[in-house]
Amino acid sequence: MIELEEAQRILLGEVPVGPTVTVKLRDAAKFRLAEAIRCDVDYPPFARSVMDGYAVKACDVGQVPAKLRVAGQLPAGLDSPLVLRAGEAIQINTGAPIPPGADAVVRVEVTKLSDDGLHVEILESVPAGKFITERATYARAGDVVLEAGAMLSPMNMAVAATAGAAEVCVYRKPTAAYLVTGDELVDVDARPSGAQIRNSNEYLLASLLTAAGIEAKSLGVAGDDPAELRRKVEAGCEQDVLITTGGISMGEFDFVPRVLEALGAEMLVHKIAIKPGRPTIVARMPGGTWVFALPGNPLSALVGYELMVRPALSRMQGGDGKAAREMQAICDGELSAVRDRQTFIPAVARVNDDGEWAVRLLSWFGSGDAVGAANANALIHRPAHAVAVTRGDKVSVMLLPHSMDV
Ligand code: AMP
Ligand code: MG
C-alpha cells in the first residue's frame, strides 16, 4: 500500500501528454490547445463606432447645440465611400467604420434630426476619440491571443474565431471503455431478486466520462469469471483508457488483478492508503492502454476516479494532471477522528449567506451507500490521523467538478 501523493506522483510520471491533432474550430470546444493561437489580422481590423449616432469632427461640436449637415449614412458592413468635411455629420451605426475626416461619434440620444433629414442638432460635446474603437485596439496581427495549454472554453472559442483560427492544434481526447464486474449485478430495469443488487457504477462511469467530454464505450457487465473478464479486458485494451469496477479486493472471486497480470499488465499502483478506495489499481498494458481498476462500491469508484482517473485524463490532454482543487469550508456537523488512511466523505458544499464555503454532512452509511450520497457535490478530505471535527470547524473540501449544480 502506498500513500496517495506517491500514487499520483507515479501516475503523472508515467502518463504521456498528447498526442495532438488538428481539428476544425467548431469541433474543438473543451479541447486544450497544443499550440498558441495568434491573431491573423489587426483587431478590430478598422476603426469602428461603438454607438449608433453621428460621426463628427469633435471641434465642430465644441459649442452646443451645434447644427451640422447630414452628409450620408454608414451602416455596419459598408466601407465608407464618404469623407467627412467641416460642418458635416454622417449617420453611423454600431460596428460601422469611422469615415475619414471624423474623429468622434455622438450618440443618437443627444441629437435631434431635422424633419427633412438634412441637418442634425448635436446637443452634447464629445472629445476627439469618443465612441471610437481604433484599429488593433484588441490585438495586432501576429499577437498571441491564446497560449498553448489554454482550454477552449466558450469564451476562448470566441477568441479563436476572432483570431481566424479555422483549424486548431489540440491535444486529442483519449478514447475510453468501461467495464463493471460482479455476478450480483442487475441493470436498472430489473428488480433485484435474491442476492442481486443494481448496477449503479455503469451509470456513474458513463456520466463521469461524458461530462469529461470523452466518448467512452460500455463493455457491459462481466461476471466473476476469469475467462469472461479476460475477453472483456482485452476488448477494453483497444482504447487508450479502460476503467473497471469491482473484483479487486481480497475475495476469492476478485479476478481482476490476476486477469490484468495474465495479460502482461505493469502494475504501477496497487493499493493506496485512502478510504474508501484502498484496492485501486493503475496498470499499463503491453499495448499502451491505461487500466484503472476501481473498487466495486460506488463511492469507492467515485473517489478512485477523482483521485487517479481525472488526473490521468487531464495529463493526456495537456492539463496539469492535478486532482480537483481543495478549499476550506465550515463543517455543519461532527466527524470522528481519522485512522491511518486519508479519508473522503461525500458532502454537499455551498456558499453560505456570509459568502463562505460550508459543507453539509449527509446521512451516509459508507462506500456502498449511493442513496445516502444523493446530491453530493463534494468530498470532504481528511488527512490521516486527523482529530475529530466538531460543528463549525473548518475542513478541507474537494469540489466534484461534474457534480456542481451551476
Ligand atoms: P467488489 O470490489 O467486487 O468486491 O465489490 C465491492 C462491493 O461493491 C460489493 O458489495 C459489490 O456488490 C458492489 N458493487 C460491485 N459492482 C457494483 C456496481 N456496478 N454497482 C453497484 N455496486 C457494485
Ligand atoms: Mg465483485
Side-chain angles (χ1 to χ4, degrees):
M1 189 159 77
I2 58 173
E3 290 300 323
L4 174 60
E5 293 69 23
E6 174 67 0
Q8 289 174 331
R9 200 188 57 73
I10 294 171
L11 180 76
L12 294 190
E14 298 289 336
V15 168
V17 177
T20 62
V21 280
T22 297
V23 295
K24 286 214 162 66
L25 181 63
R26 64 178 74 257
D27 299 324
K30 281 191 89 175
F31 282 69
R32 204 175 282 283
L33 288 175
E35 283 173 11
I37 291 180
R38 290 175 186 275
C39 207
D40 63 342
V41 291
D42 286 348
Y43 227 88
F46 52 89
R48 62 178 179 177
S49 177
V50 180
M51 290 288 177
D52 292 318
Y54 291 87
V56 298
K57 291 180 187 290
C59 60
D60 279 351
V61 298
Q63 299 282 326
V64 285
K67 195 173 170 194
L68 303 177
R69 192 179 76 80
V70 177
Q73 199 180 26
L74 268 179
L78 188 73
D79 247 337
S80 174
L82 304 167
V83 177
L84 188 86
R85 286 169 307 192
E88 289 180 348
I90 294 177
Q91 263 181 352
I92 193 164
N93 292 117
T94 305
I98 302 299
D103 64 3
V105 171
V106 178
R107 291 177 298 141
V108 69
E109 290 89 336
V110 294
T111 64
K112 226 167 25 191
L113 186 62
S114 63
D115 289 340
D116 59 11
L118 296 177
H119 292 89
V120 62
E121 217 179 331
I122 307 292
L123 307 175
E124 215 175 84
S125 292
V126 285
K130 191 72 181 170
F131 299 130
I132 294 176
T133 305
E134 292 298 339
R135 174 179 178 150
T137 298
Y138 310 153
R140 294 198 168 281
D143 281 356
V144 170
V145 292
L146 289 173
E147 305 281 350
M151 200 267 285
L152 287 169
S153 63
M155 192 65 241
N156 283 352
M157 290 291 282
V159 175
T162 301
E167 291 191 327
V168 289
C169 181
V170 295
Y171 292 99
R172 179 168 76 71
K173 297 239 174 225
T175 62
Y178 51 98
L179 168 64
V180 299
T181 73
D183 282 339
E184 71 277 34
L185 302 177
V186 296
D187 204 356
V188 60
D189 51 5
R191 185 180 269 274
S193 65
Q196 294 176 323
I197 61 157
R198 287 231 170 80
N199 169 13
S200 54
N201 292 351
E202 194 176 340
Y203 293 86
L204 175 74
L205 292 177
S207 60
L208 283 167
L209 290 163
T210 302
I214 290 181
E215 262 178 56
K217 191 173 160 189
S218 176
L219 298 170
V221 181
D224 293 314
D225 165 66
E228 185 186 3
L229 257 175
R230 186 184 169 115
R231 272 198 311 279
K232 296 221 163 182
V233 169
E234 277 176 325
C237 286
E238 284 165 24
Q239 312 298 327
D240 299 317
V241 171
L242 168 64
I243 305 171
T244 69
T245 68
I248 58 170
S249 309
M250 303 299 283
E252 281 158 68
F253 297 98
D254 290 330
F255 292 117
V256 172
R258 277 170 276 173
V259 166
L260 292 176
E261 275 167 349
L263 289 169
E266 187 186 345
M267 306 289 260
L268 294 167
V269 173
H270 190 182
K271 295 196 174 72
I272 309 173
I274 50 173
K275 185 185 174 190
R278 172 164 43 193
T280 299
I281 292 171
V282 179
R284 180 167 45 206
M285 304 308 283
T289 297
W290 286 85
V291 177
F292 297 87
L294 309 178
N297 275 319
L299 268 293
S300 314
L302 176 70
V303 167
Y305 181 94
E306 291 296 329
L307 299 180
M308 303 306 288
V309 183
R310 174 193 297 286
L313 295 176
S314 154
R315 175 51 64 91
M316 290 171 188
Q317 296 171 77
D320 65 6
K322 295 214 170 91
R325 298 293 184 284
E326 297 191 10
M327 61 198 189
Q328 297 292 304
I330 302 161
C331 187
D332 84 336
E334 296 181 356
L335 292 170
S336 49
V338 177
R339 292 158 67 128
D340 57 350
R341 282 185 284 153
Q342 299 185 36
T343 298
F344 296 85
I345 302 155
V348 181
R350 66 185 169 84
V351 177
N352 67 20
D353 293 341
D354 299 327
E356 294 169 308
W357 280 97
V359 271
R360 180 161 59 78
L361 299 180
L362 298 165
S363 165
W364 179 62
F365 292 93
S367 61
D369 182 14
V371 176
N375 300 315
N377 62 3
L379 296 170
I380 296 175
H381 180 185
R382 310 224 54 221
H385 309 294
V387 297
V389 163
T390 55
R391 188 190 161 87
D393 285 352
K394 289 225 166 159
V395 289
S396 211
V397 169
M398 176 184 284
L399 293 181
L400 299 172
H402 298 324
S403 303
M404 296 310 294
D405 183 12
V406 286

